[in-house]
Amino acid sequence: MILNFLLIVVGLALLIIGAEGLVRGASSIAAKFRISPLIIGLTIVSFGTSAPELTVNIVSALNGSPDLAIGNVVGSNIANILLILGICSMIVPLKVKSSTVWKEIPLALLGVCLLFVMGNDVLIDGVAFNAVTRTDGIVLMSLMVVFMYYIVGMARGERSKEVKSEGGESIERYPAWVSTLMMVGGLVGLVFGGRLLVNAAVSIAQAAGLSESLIGLTVVGIGTSLPELATSVVAALRKQADIAIGNIVGSNIFNIFWILGLTGTLLQLPFNAAASVDVLVSVGATAMLFIFMFLGKRHELTRPQGAIFLATYIGYIGFLIQRG
């Protein structure tokens, strides 16, 4: 048991280091071609920080652990809003751009609502089982293409003489061979880290009599959200609200449309009743974020609202532990 917990720590460390290497290497290469900083932030960095979730999901699906795959994405999305935005907004109130309020947050809400519909075939279609099918996966990935078209179109008007990172600092440029090595090493770290984490998590779940979904929603879901947590907390401390909240909303969109879409395309994912409840919690958290934009200070996530997010997340974790 102790060995499995150590493997989880090692796996999470490899995921974080791997994602960092991938992002740094890819960003360095992109900087050499003078790509817009907005494009870098919304594509390379977003894909990079979502790489842990993607790796865990693919490994989970291939290992026959669909509950862990779904729990990872849903748990990560819930943690992103209730835990990470809760912490960030308690550090400093987060002012949100109008485009994020009216376009990106509703798109994130659409994603989790679609997941609920796609995962409840028995209730909606009257069939014999619930599953996120390959057809569902293709639909989600198609919506990811639409999202990418949106952010590329939004970035067309961006002009900058110097390519910068999400944190507002100049991206460090490395020699081409170093950048390539960092990207390859990062991918290797993600693959091995994901495998270690998934195998250890499943072993712990089986030994303790806990469900894979509980492990995915808590340990794995929070663990794979650590890159987003680090990015958003640093952004909040620097009073860069656009980065803090944009990183979270963008990550939630990527998790549903890209990661779960790709996973569902590769392998059909059975969807149990407990997962439906968790998706509804994600729907509620996203809807709460949207509603908060119009309560108190308009288009601002305040400290009291952040405290509500944190209290809600603590209550949700208590519910998960009781559910087992």
Side-chain angles (χ1 to χ4, degrees):
M1 182 67 73
I2 296 178
L3 176 60
N4 285 324
F5 278 108
L6 290 175
L7 289 176
I8 284 182
V9 173
V10 173
L12 288 174
L14 285 174
L15 285 173
I16 295 169
I17 294 171
E20 181 71 13
L22 175 62
V23 170
R24 284 182 176 271
S27 297
S28 175
I29 290 177
K32 292 180 184 296
F33 292 94
R34 300 181 183 277
I35 299 174
S36 164
L38 182 58
I39 292 292
I40 291 176
L42 291 174
T43 55
I44 296 175
V45 176
S46 294
F47 274 112
T49 56
S50 294
E53 287 94 336
L54 175 61
T55 305
V56 168
N57 262 45
I58 292 177
V59 173
S60 299
L62 294 178
N63 284 356
S65 302
D67 287 346
L68 193 60
I70 294 175
N72 171 44
V73 166
V74 177
S76 179
N77 279 19
I78 294 172
N80 280 349
I81 294 178
L82 298 181
L83 177 63
I84 299 177
L85 282 185
I87 292 174
C88 292
S89 59
M90 290 187 71
I91 294 174
V92 58
L94 303 175
K95 293 183 179 180
V96 186
K97 283 187 175 180
S98 179
S99 61
T100 300
V101 173
W102 291 110
K103 295 179 181 178
E104 293 161 21
I105 294 178
L107 190 58
L109 181 58
L110 172 64
V112 288
C113 288
L114 279 177
L115 178 58
F116 179 80
V117 172
M118 291 175 173
N120 283 276
D121 303 289
V122 174
L123 176 65
I124 296 174
D125 295 330
V127 296
F129 65 95
N130 290 325
V132 176
T133 64
R134 288 187 172 91
T135 302
D136 295 332
I138 292 172
V139 170
L140 292 174
M141 291 188 69
S142 298
L143 289 172
M144 182 64 200
V145 173
V146 174
F147 177 64
M148 292 302 297
Y149 177 80
Y150 158 71
I151 60 176
V152 170
M154 185 175 63
R156 286 179 178 175
E158 294 292 319
R159 294 292 183 270
S160 178
K161 295 181 180 179
E162 180 182 15
V163 177
K164 297 182 178 180
S165 69
E166 275 196 329
E169 300 175 354
S170 297
I171 289 176
E172 187 172 355
R173 302 188 185 191
Y174 305 96
W177 69 272
V178 175
S179 299
T180 303
L181 184 62
M182 291 175 72
M183 290 179 63
V184 174
L187 288 171
V188 171
L190 289 170
V191 171
F192 280 97
R195 185 173 293 276
L196 282 176
L197 192 151
V198 169
N199 291 340
V202 171
S203 297
I204 291 174
Q206 293 173 343
L210 301 177
S211 65
E212 291 179 2
S213 61
L214 175 60
I215 299 296
L217 288 162
T218 54
V219 177
V220 182
I222 296 174
T224 54
S225 291
L226 290 178
E228 288 89 346
L229 174 61
T231 300
S232 292
V233 168
V234 170
L237 290 172
R238 294 178 180 178
K239 297 184 178 180
Q240 296 174 317
D242 289 340
I243 295 172
I245 198 166
N247 172 50
I248 295 304
V249 176
S251 176
N252 280 16
I253 293 172
F254 271 74
N255 284 348
I256 297 294
F257 291 157
W258 168 241
I259 296 175
L260 202 57
L262 179 59
T263 309
T265 301
L266 294 175
L267 189 68
Q268 179 170 284
L269 302 174
F271 201 88
N272 58 40
S276 296
V277 175
D278 299 319
V279 173
L280 284 177
V281 172
S282 183
V283 171
T286 310
M288 192 186 306
L289 175 60
F290 181 74
I291 293 171
F292 278 174
M293 294 297 97
F294 306 95
L295 298 179
K297 292 185 179 180
R298 186 177 176 85
H299 294 184
E300 180 174 318
L301 193 61
T302 63
R303 286 190 176 92
Q305 291 168 345
I308 292 174
F309 274 164
L310 278 177
T312 303
Y313 189 71
I314 292 172
Y316 173 63
I317 293 298
F319 163 75
L320 289 179
I321 294 173
Q322 183 179 22
R323 187 178 70 181

